[in-house]
């Protein structure tokens, strides 16, 4: 006895628009909530530069030329020198991470995929049976 071909559930246009906007809101929240809560973007430190000349900041002639093409100048940032490159050159980002938090994130991602596949098992099996077992 042959099964009827799998027919996925129909969704209205309103449902599709709602789902799209809901997912967009979730993505935006995932990106911006950590910033608003101060959980991200805090890993920036600044080196203390004693000499803010090009040589003192470790810039060679080629680097110096590129900074100048971009409109930056040597020296400390002041009212007289608002385009100083010293602040940008001294900025360093901290790329350290907590292994426990990384493990928790990996667990959450794997758990999500497990749940999606577990709940969708019946539909996946029907599609696979329709495509491969009835030949």
């Amino acid at each position: 006895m042959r099964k009827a071909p799998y027919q996925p559930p129909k969704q209205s246009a309103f449902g599709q628009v709602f789902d799209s906007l809901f997912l967009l809101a979730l993505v935006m929240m995932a990106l911006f909530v950590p910033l608003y809560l101060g959980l991200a973007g805090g890993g920036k430190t600044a080196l203390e530069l004693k000499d803010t000349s090009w040589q003192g900041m470790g810039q060679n002639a080629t680097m110096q030329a590129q900074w100048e093409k971009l409109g930056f100048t040597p020296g400390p940032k002041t009212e007289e020198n608002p385009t100083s490159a010293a602040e940008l050159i001294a900025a360093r980002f901290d790329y350290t991470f907590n292994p426990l938090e990384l493990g928790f994130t990996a667990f959450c991602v794997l758990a999500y995929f497990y749940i999606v596949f577990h709940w969708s098992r019946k539909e996946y099996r029907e599609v696979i049976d329709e495509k491969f077992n009835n030949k």
Side-chain angles (χ1 to χ4, degrees):
M1 181 170 175
R2 189 168 184 184
K3 283 181 156 183
Y6 174 76
Q7 293 295 324
K10 299 288 183 208
Q11 186 178 26
S12 67
F14 173 77
Q16 291 178 10
V17 169
F18 176 79
D19 285 350
S20 298
L21 293 175
F22 182 71
L23 288 173
L24 179 63
L26 287 177
V27 167
M28 297 304 283
M29 284 178 16
L31 292 173
F32 288 108
V33 167
L35 291 175
Y36 292 135
L37 295 178
L39 300 174
K44 184 177 173 184
T45 59
L47 297 175
E48 181 138 352
L49 298 173
K50 292 179 177 54
D51 181 13
T52 55
S53 67
W54 290 124
Q55 290 77 22
M57 292 186 289
Q59 304 298 300
N60 61 32
T62 305
M63 294 173 172
Q64 175 184 343
Q66 296 303 316
W67 281 111
E68 289 172 352
K69 282 182 186 177
L70 293 171
F72 291 99
T73 58
K77 188 169 189 169
T78 61
E79 278 189 33
E80 297 83 30
N81 187 13
T83 60
S84 172
E87 194 174 86
L88 294 172
I89 292 171
R92 297 290 185 260
F93 291 95
D94 181 13
Y95 294 105
T96 60
F97 63 93
N98 183 337
L100 187 63
E101 290 174 356
L102 177 64
F104 178 71
T105 302
F107 171 77
C108 289
V109 170
L110 293 173
Y112 168 77
F113 281 111
Y114 174 78
I115 289 169
V116 166
F117 284 114
H118 180 73
W119 284 344
S120 303
R121 183 178 297 163
K122 180 182 175 192
E123 287 84 5
Y124 287 143
R125 287 187 182 183
E126 286 179 10
V127 170
I128 290 170
D129 286 345
E130 177 184 332
K131 295 291 182 189
F132 298 109
N133 289 345
N134 292 331
K135 291 186 177 186

